PDB file of all heavy atoms in Angstrom:
ATOM      1  N   GLN X 716      57.709 105.983 -17.698  1.00 96.00           N
ATOM      2  CA  GLN X 716      57.331 105.758 -16.305  1.00 96.00           C
ATOM      3  C   GLN X 716      58.589 105.739 -15.442  1.00 96.00           C
ATOM      4  O   GLN X 716      59.611 105.166 -15.817  1.00 96.00           O
ATOM      5  CB  GLN X 716      56.587 104.439 -16.164  1.00 96.00           C
ATOM      6  CG  GLN X 716      55.254 104.394 -16.882  1.00 96.00           C
ATOM      7  CD  GLN X 716      54.565 103.048 -16.727  1.00 96.00           C
ATOM      8  OE1 GLN X 716      54.666 102.406 -15.683  1.00 96.00           O
ATOM      9  NE2 GLN X 716      53.868 102.616 -17.778  1.00 96.00           N
ATOM     10  N   THR X 717      58.493 106.338 -14.273  1.00 96.00           N
ATOM     11  CA  THR X 717      59.651 106.435 -13.383  1.00 96.00           C
ATOM     12  C   THR X 717      60.223 105.061 -13.071  1.00 96.00           C
ATOM     13  O   THR X 717      61.442 104.867 -13.063  1.00 96.00           O
ATOM     14  CB  THR X 717      59.246 107.155 -12.081  1.00 96.00           C
ATOM     15  OG1 THR X 717      58.652 108.416 -12.420  1.00 96.00           O
ATOM     16  CG2 THR X 717      60.446 107.405 -11.203  1.00 96.00           C
ATOM     17  N   ARG X 718      59.341 104.083 -12.866  1.00 96.00           N
ATOM     18  CA  ARG X 718      59.815 102.754 -12.477  1.00 96.00           C
ATOM     19  C   ARG X 718      60.527 102.017 -13.620  1.00 96.00           C
ATOM     20  O   ARG X 718      61.183 101.008 -13.394  1.00 96.00           O
ATOM     21  CB  ARG X 718      58.653 101.909 -11.949  1.00 96.00           C
ATOM     22  CG  ARG X 718      57.577 101.612 -12.974  1.00 96.00           C
ATOM     23  CD  ARG X 718      56.387 100.900 -12.344  1.00 96.00           C
ATOM     24  NE  ARG X 718      55.321 100.689 -13.290  1.00 96.00           N
ATOM     25  CZ  ARG X 718      55.230  99.648 -14.103  1.00 96.00           C
ATOM     26  NH1 ARG X 718      56.178  98.719 -14.091  1.00 96.00           N
ATOM     27  NH2 ARG X 718      54.219  99.519 -14.932  1.00 96.00           N
ATOM     28  N   LYS X 719      60.416 102.546 -14.833  1.00 97.00           N
ATOM     29  CA  LYS X 719      61.071 101.882 -15.974  1.00 97.00           C
ATOM     30  C   LYS X 719      62.344 102.597 -16.434  1.00 97.00           C
ATOM     31  O   LYS X 719      62.974 102.172 -17.398  1.00 97.00           O
ATOM     32  CB  LYS X 719      60.079 101.752 -17.139  1.00 97.00           C
ATOM     33  CG  LYS X 719      58.927 100.799 -16.810  1.00 97.00           C
ATOM     34  CD  LYS X 719      58.106 100.448 -18.020  1.00 97.00           C
ATOM     35  CE  LYS X 719      57.059  99.392 -17.669  1.00 97.00           C
ATOM     36  NZ  LYS X 719      56.281  98.971 -18.848  1.00 97.00           N
ATOM     37  N   VAL X 720      62.708 103.660 -15.733  1.00 97.00           N
ATOM     38  CA  VAL X 720      63.912 104.416 -16.112  1.00 97.00           C
ATOM     39  C   VAL X 720      65.138 103.512 -16.134  1.00 97.00           C
ATOM     40  O   VAL X 720      65.951 103.547 -17.067  1.00 97.00           O
ATOM     41  CB  VAL X 720      64.124 105.599 -15.139  1.00 97.00           C
ATOM     42  CG1 VAL X 720      65.529 106.183 -15.303  1.00 97.00           C
ATOM     43  CG2 VAL X 720      63.075 106.675 -15.374  1.00 97.00           C
ATOM     44  N   LYS X 721      65.276 102.676 -15.101  1.00 96.00           N
ATOM     45  CA  LYS X 721      66.487 101.849 -14.994  1.00 96.00           C
ATOM     46  C   LYS X 721      66.621 100.877 -16.157  1.00 96.00           C
ATOM     47  O   LYS X 721      67.731 100.451 -16.490  1.00 96.00           O
ATOM     48  CB  LYS X 721      66.499 101.084 -13.669  1.00 96.00           C
ATOM     49  CG  LYS X 721      65.354 100.112 -13.484  1.00 96.00           C
ATOM     50  CD  LYS X 721      65.390  99.467 -12.099  1.00 96.00           C
ATOM     51  CE  LYS X 721      64.213  98.537 -11.885  1.00 96.00           C
ATOM     52  NZ  LYS X 721      64.211  97.959 -10.517  1.00 96.00           N
ATOM     53  N   GLN X 722      65.501 100.513 -16.815  1.00 96.00           N
ATOM     54  CA  GLN X 722      65.560  99.582 -17.938  1.00 96.00           C
ATOM     55  C   GLN X 722      66.179 100.198 -19.186  1.00 96.00           C
ATOM     56  O   GLN X 722      66.818  99.512 -19.963  1.00 96.00           O
ATOM     57  CB  GLN X 722      64.150  99.090 -18.295  1.00 96.00           C
ATOM     58  CG  GLN X 722      63.482  98.214 -17.259  1.00 96.00           C
ATOM     59  CD  GLN X 722      62.087  97.828 -17.705  1.00 96.00           C
ATOM     60  OE1 GLN X 722      61.084  98.237 -17.128  1.00 96.00           O
ATOM     61  NE2 GLN X 722      62.013  97.047 -18.768  1.00 96.00           N
ATOM     62  N   VAL X 723      65.971 101.503 -19.370  1.00 96.00           N
ATOM     63  CA  VAL X 723      66.302 102.094 -20.669  1.00 96.00           C
ATOM     64  C   VAL X 723      67.351 103.194 -20.643  1.00 96.00           C
ATOM     65  O   VAL X 723      67.946 103.495 -21.677  1.00 96.00           O
ATOM     66  CB  VAL X 723      65.030 102.653 -21.361  1.00 96.00           C
ATOM     67  CG1 VAL X 723      63.946 101.594 -21.452  1.00 96.00           C
ATOM     68  CG2 VAL X 723      64.496 103.887 -20.645  1.00 96.00           C
ATOM     69  N   ILE X 724      67.609 103.799 -19.497  1.00 97.00           N
ATOM     70  CA  ILE X 724      68.314 105.079 -19.503  1.00 97.00           C
ATOM     71  C   ILE X 724      69.738 104.985 -20.040  1.00 97.00           C
ATOM     72  O   ILE X 724      70.240 105.939 -20.647  1.00 97.00           O
ATOM     73  CB  ILE X 724      68.273 105.726 -18.096  1.00 97.00           C
ATOM     74  CG1 ILE X 724      68.488 107.236 -18.210  1.00 97.00           C
ATOM     75  CG2 ILE X 724      69.264 105.069 -17.147  1.00 97.00           C
ATOM     76  CD1 ILE X 724      67.440 107.972 -18.998  1.00 97.00           C
ATOM     77  N   ASP X 725      70.412 103.868 -19.841  1.00 96.00           N
ATOM     78  CA  ASP X 725      71.777 103.754 -20.356  1.00 96.00           C
ATOM     79  C   ASP X 725      71.828 103.146 -21.756  1.00 96.00           C
ATOM     80  O   ASP X 725      72.913 102.913 -22.297  1.00 96.00           O
ATOM     81  CB  ASP X 725      72.643 102.941 -19.391  1.00 96.00           C
ATOM     82  CG  ASP X 725      72.996 103.738 -18.144  1.00 96.00           C
ATOM     83  OD1 ASP X 725      73.215 104.959 -18.273  1.00 96.00           O
ATOM     84  OD2 ASP X 725      73.015 103.160 -17.042  1.00 96.00           O
ATOM     85  N   THR X 726      70.652 102.910 -22.330  1.00 96.00           N
ATOM     86  CA  THR X 726      70.561 102.401 -23.701  1.00 96.00           C
ATOM     87  C   THR X 726      70.307 103.527 -24.691  1.00 96.00           C
ATOM     88  O   THR X 726      70.703 103.442 -25.853  1.00 96.00           O
ATOM     89  CB  THR X 726      69.420 101.363 -23.808  1.00 96.00           C
ATOM     90  OG1 THR X 726      69.665 100.319 -22.869  1.00 96.00           O
ATOM     91  CG2 THR X 726      69.328 100.764 -25.191  1.00 96.00           C
ATOM     92  N   ILE X 727      69.677 104.599 -24.223  1.00 97.00           N
ATOM     93  CA  ILE X 727      69.266 105.671 -25.132  1.00 97.00           C
ATOM     94  C   ILE X 727      70.305 106.785 -25.206  1.00 97.00           C
ATOM     95  O   ILE X 727      71.131 106.960 -24.311  1.00 97.00           O
ATOM     96  CB  ILE X 727      67.897 106.259 -24.735  1.00 97.00           C
ATOM     97  CG1 ILE X 727      67.954 106.888 -23.324  1.00 97.00           C
ATOM     98  CG2 ILE X 727      66.820 105.196 -24.825  1.00 97.00           C
ATOM     99  CD1 ILE X 727      66.667 107.587 -22.918  1.00 97.00           C
ATOM    100  N   ASP X 728      70.239 107.533 -26.304  1.00 97.00           N
ATOM    101  CA  ASP X 728      71.080 108.710 -26.491  1.00 97.00           C
ATOM    102  C   ASP X 728      70.303 109.998 -26.230  1.00 97.00           C
ATOM    103  O   ASP X 728      70.893 111.008 -25.836  1.00 97.00           O
ATOM    104  CB  ASP X 728      71.642 108.733 -27.916  1.00 97.00           C
ATOM    105  CG  ASP X 728      72.491 107.502 -28.210  1.00 97.00           C
ATOM    106  OD1 ASP X 728      73.630 107.452 -27.714  1.00 97.00           O
ATOM    107  OD2 ASP X 728      72.002 106.587 -28.904  1.00 97.00           O
ATOM    108  N   PHE X 729      68.998 109.953 -26.475  1.00 98.00           N
ATOM    109  CA  PHE X 729      68.139 111.128 -26.301  1.00 98.00           C
ATOM    110  C   PHE X 729      66.830 110.730 -25.624  1.00 98.00           C
ATOM    111  O   PHE X 729      66.252 109.695 -25.957  1.00 98.00           O
ATOM    112  CB  PHE X 729      67.779 111.760 -27.657  1.00 98.00           C
ATOM    113  CG  PHE X 729      68.947 112.258 -28.461  1.00 98.00           C
ATOM    114  CD1 PHE X 729      69.649 111.400 -29.306  1.00 98.00           C
ATOM    115  CD2 PHE X 729      69.334 113.590 -28.407  1.00 98.00           C
ATOM    116  CE1 PHE X 729      70.719 111.854 -30.070  1.00 98.00           C
ATOM    117  CE2 PHE X 729      70.403 114.053 -29.169  1.00 98.00           C
ATOM    118  CZ  PHE X 729      71.099 113.190 -29.992  1.00 98.00           C
ATOM    119  N   LEU X 730      66.355 111.576 -24.717  1.00 98.00           N
ATOM    120  CA  LEU X 730      65.031 111.426 -24.122  1.00 98.00           C
ATOM    121  C   LEU X 730      64.203 112.640 -24.521  1.00 98.00           C
ATOM    122  O   LEU X 730      64.612 113.780 -24.268  1.00 98.00           O
ATOM    123  CB  LEU X 730      65.125 111.334 -22.596  1.00 98.00           C
ATOM    124  CG  LEU X 730      63.781 111.292 -21.855  1.00 98.00           C
ATOM    125  CD1 LEU X 730      63.041 109.989 -22.135  1.00 98.00           C
ATOM    126  CD2 LEU X 730      63.976 111.484 -20.357  1.00 98.00           C
ATOM    127  N   HIS X 731      63.044 112.386 -25.139  1.00 98.00           N
ATOM    128  CA  HIS X 731      62.207 113.489 -25.639  1.00 98.00           C
ATOM    129  C   HIS X 731      61.065 113.846 -24.702  1.00 98.00           C
ATOM    130  O   HIS X 731      60.234 114.670 -25.065  1.00 98.00           O
ATOM    131  CB  HIS X 731      61.613 113.119 -27.009  1.00 98.00           C
ATOM    132  CG  HIS X 731      62.601 113.099 -28.126  1.00 98.00           C
ATOM    133  ND1 HIS X 731      62.540 113.961 -29.206  1.00 98.00           N
ATOM    134  CD2 HIS X 731      63.702 112.338 -28.337  1.00 98.00           C
ATOM    135  CE1 HIS X 731      63.547 113.717 -30.034  1.00 98.00           C
ATOM    136  NE2 HIS X 731      64.266 112.726 -29.521  1.00 98.00           N
ATOM    137  N   SER X 732      61.011 113.268 -23.514  1.00 97.00           N
ATOM    138  CA  SER X 732      59.792 113.389 -22.707  1.00 97.00           C
ATOM    139  C   SER X 732      60.062 113.677 -21.230  1.00 97.00           C
ATOM    140  O   SER X 732      59.362 113.168 -20.362  1.00 97.00           O
ATOM    141  CB  SER X 732      58.974 112.105 -22.840  1.00 97.00           C
ATOM    142  OG  SER X 732      59.789 110.960 -22.573  1.00 97.00           O
ATOM    143  N   LEU X 733      61.052 114.501 -20.938  1.00 98.00           N
ATOM    144  CA  LEU X 733      61.286 114.901 -19.548  1.00 98.00           C
ATOM    145  C   LEU X 733      60.215 115.906 -19.151  1.00 98.00           C
ATOM    146  O   LEU X 733      60.150 117.009 -19.700  1.00 98.00           O
ATOM    147  CB  LEU X 733      62.684 115.514 -19.405  1.00 98.00           C
ATOM    148  CG  LEU X 733      63.080 115.982 -18.003  1.00 98.00           C
ATOM    149  CD1 LEU X 733      62.961 114.860 -16.974  1.00 98.00           C
ATOM    150  CD2 LEU X 733      64.491 116.560 -18.009  1.00 98.00           C
ATOM    151  N   ASP X 734      59.340 115.515 -18.233  1.00 97.00           N
ATOM    152  CA  ASP X 734      58.175 116.353 -17.944  1.00 97.00           C
ATOM    153  C   ASP X 734      57.828 116.473 -16.460  1.00 97.00           C
ATOM    154  O   ASP X 734      56.799 117.033 -16.107  1.00 97.00           O
ATOM    155  CB  ASP X 734      56.947 115.826 -18.714  1.00 97.00           C
ATOM    156  CG  ASP X 734      56.557 114.411 -18.289  1.00 97.00           C
ATOM    157  OD1 ASP X 734      57.287 113.779 -17.495  1.00 97.00           O
ATOM    158  OD2 ASP X 734      55.503 113.934 -18.756  1.00 97.00           O
ATOM    159  N   ARG X 735      58.707 115.944 -15.572  1.00 97.00           N
ATOM    160  CA  ARG X 735      58.406 116.052 -14.141  1.00 97.00           C
ATOM    161  C   ARG X 735      59.673 115.821 -13.335  1.00 97.00           C
ATOM    162  O   ARG X 735      60.592 115.138 -13.778  1.00 97.00           O
ATOM    163  CB  ARG X 735      57.305 115.059 -13.735  1.00 97.00           C
ATOM    164  CG  ARG X 735      57.645 113.624 -14.021  1.00 97.00           C
ATOM    165  CD  ARG X 735      56.398 112.734 -14.023  1.00 97.00           C
ATOM    166  NE  ARG X 735      56.749 111.321 -14.119  1.00 97.00           N
ATOM    167  CZ  ARG X 735      57.065 110.698 -15.251  1.00 97.00           C
ATOM    168  NH1 ARG X 735      57.086 111.362 -16.394  1.00 97.00           N
ATOM    169  NH2 ARG X 735      57.357 109.410 -15.239  1.00 97.00           N
ATOM    170  N   LEU X 736      59.682 116.395 -12.156  1.00 97.00           N
ATOM    171  CA  LEU X 736      60.868 116.336 -11.309  1.00 97.00           C
ATOM    172  C   LEU X 736      61.169 114.912 -10.849  1.00 97.00           C
ATOM    173  O   LEU X 736      62.336 114.525 -10.753  1.00 97.00           O
ATOM    174  CB  LEU X 736      60.688 117.264 -10.103  1.00 97.00           C
ATOM    175  CG  LEU X 736      61.962 117.635  -9.348  1.00 97.00           C
ATOM    176  CD1 LEU X 736      62.983 118.308 -10.257  1.00 97.00           C
ATOM    177  CD2 LEU X 736      61.622 118.544  -8.168  1.00 97.00           C
ATOM    178  N   SER X 737      60.136 114.139 -10.582  1.00 97.00           N
ATOM    179  CA  SER X 737      60.358 112.760 -10.125  1.00 97.00           C
ATOM    180  C   SER X 737      61.094 111.940 -11.184  1.00 97.00           C
ATOM    181  O   SER X 737      61.912 111.074 -10.851  1.00 97.00           O
ATOM    182  CB  SER X 737      59.037 112.085  -9.768  1.00 97.00           C
ATOM    183  OG  SER X 737      58.164 112.035 -10.890  1.00 97.00           O
ATOM    184  N   LEU X 738      60.824 112.211 -12.449  1.00 98.00           N
ATOM    185  CA  LEU X 738      61.533 111.522 -13.538  1.00 98.00           C
ATOM    186  C   LEU X 738      62.994 111.965 -13.574  1.00 98.00           C
ATOM    187  O   LEU X 738      63.897 111.142 -13.731  1.00 98.00           O
ATOM    188  CB  LEU X 738      60.844 111.820 -14.870  1.00 98.00           C
ATOM    189  CG  LEU X 738      61.461 111.186 -16.122  1.00 98.00           C
ATOM    190  CD1 LEU X 738      61.551 109.671 -15.996  1.00 98.00           C
ATOM    191  CD2 LEU X 738      60.655 111.578 -17.365  1.00 98.00           C
ATOM    192  N   ALA X 739      63.229 113.251 -13.390  1.00 98.00           N
ATOM    193  CA  ALA X 739      64.604 113.759 -13.363  1.00 98.00           C
ATOM    194  C   ALA X 739      65.392 113.132 -12.212  1.00 98.00           C
ATOM    195  O   ALA X 739      66.563 112.750 -12.374  1.00 98.00           O
ATOM    196  CB  ALA X 739      64.591 115.277 -13.223  1.00 98.00           C
ATOM    197  N   GLU X 740      64.767 113.004 -11.074  1.00 98.00           N
ATOM    198  CA  GLU X 740      65.433 112.417  -9.901  1.00 98.00           C
ATOM    199  C   GLU X 740      65.809 110.965 -10.159  1.00 98.00           C
ATOM    200  O   GLU X 740      66.894 110.514  -9.766  1.00 98.00           O
ATOM    201  CB  GLU X 740      64.517 112.530  -8.680  1.00 98.00           C
ATOM    202  CG  GLU X 740      64.346 113.961  -8.190  1.00 98.00           C
ATOM    203  CD  GLU X 740      63.242 114.124  -7.159  1.00 98.00           C
ATOM    204  OE1 GLU X 740      62.385 113.218  -7.045  1.00 98.00           O
ATOM    205  OE2 GLU X 740      63.226 115.167  -6.488  1.00 98.00           O
TER     206      GLU X 740
END
């Protein structure tokens, strides 16, 4: 979920589920 990106993005090494522009932003 876009609103949860800030919780996890600097913890992970790989994201397997990039599927929309809003998530990329």
Side-chain angles (χ1 to χ4, degrees):
Q716 295 179 35
T717 306
R718 64 186 176 87
K719 293 191 174 183
V720 166
K721 62 184 178 183
Q722 293 178 248
V723 306
I724 202 62
D725 286 323
T726 303
I727 62 175
D728 300 285
F729 299 86
L730 175 68
H731 289 244
S732 51
L733 180 56
D734 63 354
R735 58 198 188 280
L736 197 58
S737 60
L738 180 57
E740 290 169 343

